[in-house]
Structures are given as C-alpha cells and as structure tokens.
C-alpha cells in the first residue's frame, strides 16, 4: 500500500512536471527566436539616409510629408481590427501575418521606385506594427500562469537583444566594413524571413480571451492583480484555480484554465464581446487615478512616436550623411540599453506615486520638452544624439511607472483593454498631429519647425500635469487635516 500510494504519485508528479516543462519550453524558445530574428534589422537606423540617398533618390518632402505619414494612418486604422482578429484567429495566424507583412515591407524597400510604392510599403509596415500584439499575447495561451513572469522576461529580452544586435551590427557594417545600405536591407530581409519560417513551427493555441474561452462557475469570480510590484498574482477568491499575472503594456494576457470536466466551449457572439468591452471600458475610466495616468500615457506616446519617427530626418538635416559618417545605429543601441537600465532602476524606487505621481510626470515631461528643444535648436549632431538618448531614457522610465500604476488597480482583462485604448487614443492624436503638421495636404512644415512644435507639445503636457498635481496634493493635505481634526474632536 505504501508503494501504491506513496511512490507512484511521486513518479506521476515528476512526469507531469517534465511534461509541463516540455510544453512551455518549446513554444517559448520558438517565440523568442522569432522575436530575436524579427528585431535584427540593421538597416532600420539608416532608413531615412537610404531613401534620400542615391539608392532611391527621393526628396525630403516626399519622405517626410508624403511617405512617413502613411505608417501613422495605417497603424491607427488596423489596430482595433487586428486586436479582435488576433483573439478570434488565436494568435498564430496573426504572428505569421506580421512576419509576412515585414517581408513585403523589406522586399519593397529593396526594389520599389515610385512614390505610391513607398506609400504602400508604409501600409505594410503599419500592419507589421499593429500585429505586434499577437507576438506578445501568444505565449500566455500555451503556458501556465506560474510561468507568466518568466516567459515574459524571455520574450522581451529576445526582442531587446535582437534590436540591439541589429543596430550595432548595422553601425559596424557601415562604418567599419563599408557595406552599402542596400546590403543592410538584404540582411534585414534575410533575418525577417528566418523569423517567418520559425513562426510556422509554433503550436496552435486552443483558447483566447474573448472568442475562444471556457466558461465555468469558478471563472465568473473577479480576478484581480494584487502584488504587481513583485510580479506575483494573488487570487481574490479561493475557488479560482488560476489568476492572470502582471504583464507589460503591449501584452494581452488570457483567461485562466479550469478543470477539463468543467470546461464548456462558448459560442462566438461578437455583440456580447463588444458589450463586455464597453462595460469594462466604462468601469476602468471611472477612476480618477486611472484616467490621470492613461491621459499622460496617450498624450506622451503620441509625442514619442512623432519624435522617434522623424528623428533620423532631423539628424539628416543637421549633418547630411553624404558629407560625413553617421552613427544612427550606435545611438539607437545606446538609447535602448540605457533605457532598459532606467526601467530596472525605477522598479526599485520607493515613493508614493499616488501623491507625487502627477508632479513627477510634469517635471520629467518638462525634461523631455527640453531635450526635444535642444535637438531642434542646437545644430550639432552629437548634441542631437545625446538629447535623443536622454529623451528615450526618460520616456521609457515614465511609461514604466505609468504601466505599474495602472496594473496595480486593474484585472488583467481590463488591463489589456486599457492599454489598447490608450494606444489607440495616442495613435488618433498622432494622426491628427501628422495631418496638420507633417502631411503635404496639411501645413507640410519643415523638420525643424515640426520639432519645435513637438517640444512645445511636451511643455504643454508638463504644465497640465503640474497644475493637476498641485491640486491633488492640496486636496490630499486638506483630507488629512480633516481626518486629524475629526480624530482630535472624538478624543
């Protein structure tokens, strides 16, 4: 009896552990490989130079005012449909679509010649950007909740390392080996093709958040993320078997699993899905704290996209690449790595963000405005590079704080919805800014005037949050005084 009840369960447990390890290890390795090779694009830091140079011989107006804006419009138009399609198709087909979109983009970069072809190229690049959500959400449908934090770090690290390798290798190949920018695009296309081939081996998930989930009495309980600071998930209800964990801003975690006997497939009801999305939206944004951090998220991300999209154009105007060597790849790699360090550091800062958060956002937004202003007015390429690095570091740090503040107050489903909505609003604002400031059909301003507007934009954000933060601190002090006076009266 001791053998049957003592030894065999242990062996079964060992086999189960081994099976679980194999079940999550393979898709994680494949997805990390996909993310790495998809991010190794050594030609990307030199895209503006490539388009303006002899390879394509486009004019500044065509590149900045007629081609680049198409990416913004495409990203905005595709974001919400792709979000629903990702869930309905269960991730893998959309991951493949992303790889295919990027292959088309870089193939057209090699051989396209006409203006309309480059505009179509930007559309496919917008599709590749919008479908990025599938990459960050796929893994949560095939691994256990206890592994969320671990696989998240693997996938994020893979893309970070890939981007850094691509930027550094591009700089070395241009500055040291003397490769042409056409050759760099060939390397980028080859790397993306390897990523696309890798994605075919990913296992097909069986569940998703809205269209392909399992209903049970247990899963009707509210699941809340409680200890996001330590990356842990705490279940509010003892009957809940699995609670989703804390994730990054671009990720779409999935519902937990229940026992097989209790699983019942739900029919696809688009009307119900949209109704649930609306109810979650109203509930999330009814909180002043959520609204405050989300407003900053949307406003700042809009400005961030504009700056990074046109930074290469500014550098090209400050120091034309045909007159001197440029170091765009090294700058992109340095800003990425230093930004990652800043993110790690801010995770260990102990402060009351509920009280001082808005003031901190105001002060750091002012620093961002100053960095963009310096980039625009001091026509020295090294000063531009340094200001760009500072700009990206501060933004990455602040967006991490905003992510944490929202994550600590939301369930995972609403968490995904909030950041999806925030990104959508940011793209809407960016589209409006692009139409007015950048697009040839609008004002079609030159690059230096554009960056002056972006600096002013961040300065306005800083002013708004400074006023709001001061009002919040005054209100908090008044509440504390009222509580103290009431307690003294009761005594």
């Amino acid at each position: 009896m001791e053998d049957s009840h003592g030894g065999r369960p242990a062996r079964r447990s060992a086999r189960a552990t081994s099976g679980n390890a194999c079940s999550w290890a393979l898709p994680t390795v494949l997805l990390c490989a996909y993310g790495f090779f998809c991010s190794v694009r050594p030609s990307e830091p030199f895209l503006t130079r490539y388009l303006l140079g002899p390879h394509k011989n486009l004019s500044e107006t065509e590149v900045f005012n007629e081609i680049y804006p198409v990416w913004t419009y495409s990203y905005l138009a595709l974001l919400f449909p792709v979000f629903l399609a990702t869930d309905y198709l269960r991730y893998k087909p959309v991951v493949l679509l992303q790889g295919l979109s990027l292959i088309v983009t870089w193939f057209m970069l090699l051989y396209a010649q006409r203006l309309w072809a480059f505009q179509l190229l930007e559309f496919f690049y917008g599709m590749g950007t919008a479908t990025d959500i599938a990459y960050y959400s796929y893994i949560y449908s095939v691994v256990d909740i206890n592994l969320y934090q671990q696989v998240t770090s693997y996938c994020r690290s893979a893309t970070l390392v890939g981007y850094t390798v691509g930027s550094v290798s591009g700089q070395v190949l241009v500055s040291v080996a003397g490769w042409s920018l056409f050759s760099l695009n060939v390397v980028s296309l080859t790397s993306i093709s390897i990523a696309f081939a890798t994605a075919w081996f990913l296992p097909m998930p069986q569940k998703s958040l809205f269209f392909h989930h399992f209903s049970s009495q247990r899963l009707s309980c509210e699941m809340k993320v409680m200890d996001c600071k330590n990356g842990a998930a705490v279940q509010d209800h003892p009957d809940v078997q699995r609670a989703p964990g804390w994730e990054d801003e671009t990720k779409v975690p999935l519902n937990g699993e229940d026992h097989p006997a209790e699983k019942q497939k739900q029919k696809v009801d688009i009307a119900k899905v949209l109704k649930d999305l609306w109810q979650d939206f109203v509930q999330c944004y009814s909180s002043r704290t959520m609204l405050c951090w989300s407003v900053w998220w949307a406003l700042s991300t809009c400005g961030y996209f504009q700056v990074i999209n046109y930074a290469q154009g500014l550098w090209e105007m400050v120091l034309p690449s045909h007159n001197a060597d440029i170091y765009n790849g090294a700058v992109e790699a340095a800003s990425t790595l230093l930004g990652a360090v800043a993110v790690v550091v801010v995770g260990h800062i102990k402060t009351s963000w509920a009280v001082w958060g808005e003031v901190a956002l105001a002060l750091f937004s002012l620093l961002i405005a100053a960095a963009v202003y310096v980039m625009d007015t001091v026509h020295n390429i090294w000063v531009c590079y340094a200001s760009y690095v500072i700009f990206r570091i501060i933004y990455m740090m602040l967006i991490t704080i905003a992510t944490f503040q929202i994550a600590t107050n939301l369930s995972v489903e609403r968490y995904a919805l909030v950041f999806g909505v925030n990104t959508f609003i940011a793209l809407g604002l960016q589209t409006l800014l692009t139409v007015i400031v950048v697009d040839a059909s609008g004002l079609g301003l030159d690059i230096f005037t554009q960056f002056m507007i972006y600096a002013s934009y961040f300065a306005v954000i800083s002013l708004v949050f400074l006023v709001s933060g001061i009002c919040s601190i005054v209100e908090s002090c008044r509440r504390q005084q009222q509580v103290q006076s009431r307690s003294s009266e009761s005594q």
Side-chain angles (χ1 to χ4, degrees), residues 108-419:
M108 293 184 70
L109 267 177
L110 291 173
Y111 300 108
Q113 294 296 331
R114 297 183 181 274
L115 177 62
W116 65 265
F118 287 102
Q119 292 173 329
L120 182 62
L121 175 155
E122 287 292 317
F123 170 80
F124 281 107
Y125 187 64
M127 182 180 296
T129 308
T131 50
D132 202 39
I133 190 174
Y135 170 77
Y136 288 111
S137 59
Y138 168 88
I139 197 65
Y140 303 104
S141 63
V142 293
V143 303
D144 188 81
I145 179 62
N146 298 324
L147 298 169
Y148 273 13
Q149 183 176 356
Q150 186 175 351
V151 297
T152 297
S153 64
Y154 292 157
C155 294
R156 175 60 64 179
S157 298
T159 56
L160 177 61
V161 172
Y163 186 81
T164 304
V165 168
S167 299
V168 172
S169 61
Q171 188 65 63
V172 171
L173 291 174
V174 169
S175 300
V176 179
W179 281 35
S180 67
L181 298 185
F182 184 89
S183 299
L184 290 188
N185 280 296
V186 172
V187 175
S188 298
L189 178 60
T190 303
S191 180
I192 294 169
S193 300
I194 294 174
F196 180 68
T198 303
W200 282 98
F201 296 96
L202 290 169
M204 186 72 177
Q206 299 301 314
K207 61 186 176 65
S208 64
L209 179 60
F210 295 111
F211 292 104
H212 305 285
H213 63 280
F214 300 103
S215 63
S216 71
Q217 185 176 1
R218 297 183 178 185
L219 289 180
S220 65
C221 304
E222 182 73 14
M223 292 187 280
K224 195 83 170 175
V225 176
M226 301 298 293
D227 192 12
C228 294
K229 190 172 185 179
N230 297 321
V234 179
Q235 297 163 337
D236 287 347
H237 196 282
D239 290 338
V240 178
Q241 294 298 309
R242 297 179 62 194
W246 182 84
E247 302 303 336
D248 193 12
E249 68 266 23
T250 55
K251 299 179 176 53
V252 185
L254 307 173
N255 288 7
E257 290 182 330
D258 207 355
H259 292 294
E262 298 176 359
K263 291 181 180 178
Q264 293 181 346
K265 274 274 187 137
Q266 291 185 338
K267 294 182 179 180
V268 174
D269 188 345
I270 296 180
K272 183 178 184 303
V273 169
L274 296 177
K275 181 180 178 181
D276 291 341
L277 285 172
W278 174 251
Q279 290 176 345
D280 285 347
F281 170 82
V282 172
Q283 184 171 355
C284 289
Y285 289 94
S286 61
S287 166
R288 185 185 183 280
T289 301
M290 292 299 100
L291 188 61
C292 170
W293 289 96
S294 295
V295 167
W296 181 88
W297 170 292
L299 292 176
S300 62
T301 300
C302 165
Y304 175 77
F305 280 162
Q306 286 297 94
V307 171
I308 64 173
N309 284 349
Y310 296 95
Q312 290 186 34
L314 179 67
W315 299 340
E316 188 68 23
M317 296 301 102
V318 172
L319 182 67
S321 57
H322 60 269
N323 293 335
D325 293 333
I326 59 176
Y327 299 92
N328 297 3
V331 172
E332 293 288 357
S335 62
T336 301
L337 291 178
L338 293 176
V341 172
V343 167
V344 173
V345 171
V346 79
H348 294 84
I349 295 177
K350 305 292 183 181
T351 187
S352 177
W353 295 109
V355 177
W356 299 102
E358 292 178 60
V359 175
L361 289 176
L363 295 177
F364 282 111
S365 295
L366 184 61
L367 290 178
I368 289 178
V372 177
Y373 178 79
V374 170
M375 287 176 63
D376 183 60
T377 56
V378 181
H379 295 175
N380 180 285
I381 192 62
W382 296 107
V383 174
C384 284
Y385 283 159
S387 299
Y388 179 78
V389 171
I390 293 173
F391 165 80
R392 288 199 69 192
I393 290 173
I394 296 176
Y395 174 81
M396 290 182 185
M397 182 176 64
L398 290 182
I399 205 69
T400 300
I401 297 172
T403 300
F404 173 74
Q405 287 301 306
I406 294 178
T408 54
N409 292 276
L410 292 175
S411 63
V412 174
E413 290 84 357
R414 293 171 189 156
Y415 172 83
L417 175 63
V418 164
F419 286 106

Side-chain angles (χ1 to χ4, degrees), residues 18-61:
S18 176
N20 289 336
C22 293
S23 64
W24 74 265
L26 179 60
T28 301
V29 169
L30 290 174
L31 201 67
C32 286
Y34 173 84
F36 173 80
F37 286 108
C38 215
S39 301
V40 178
R41 304 195 291 246
S43 61
E44 199 162 27
F46 306 94
L47 177 61
T48 299
R49 176 182 174 181
Y50 177 72
L51 295 177
L52 294 175
H55 295 90
K56 301 303 177 182
N57 200 28
L58 295 167
S59 69
E60 297 169 10
T61 301

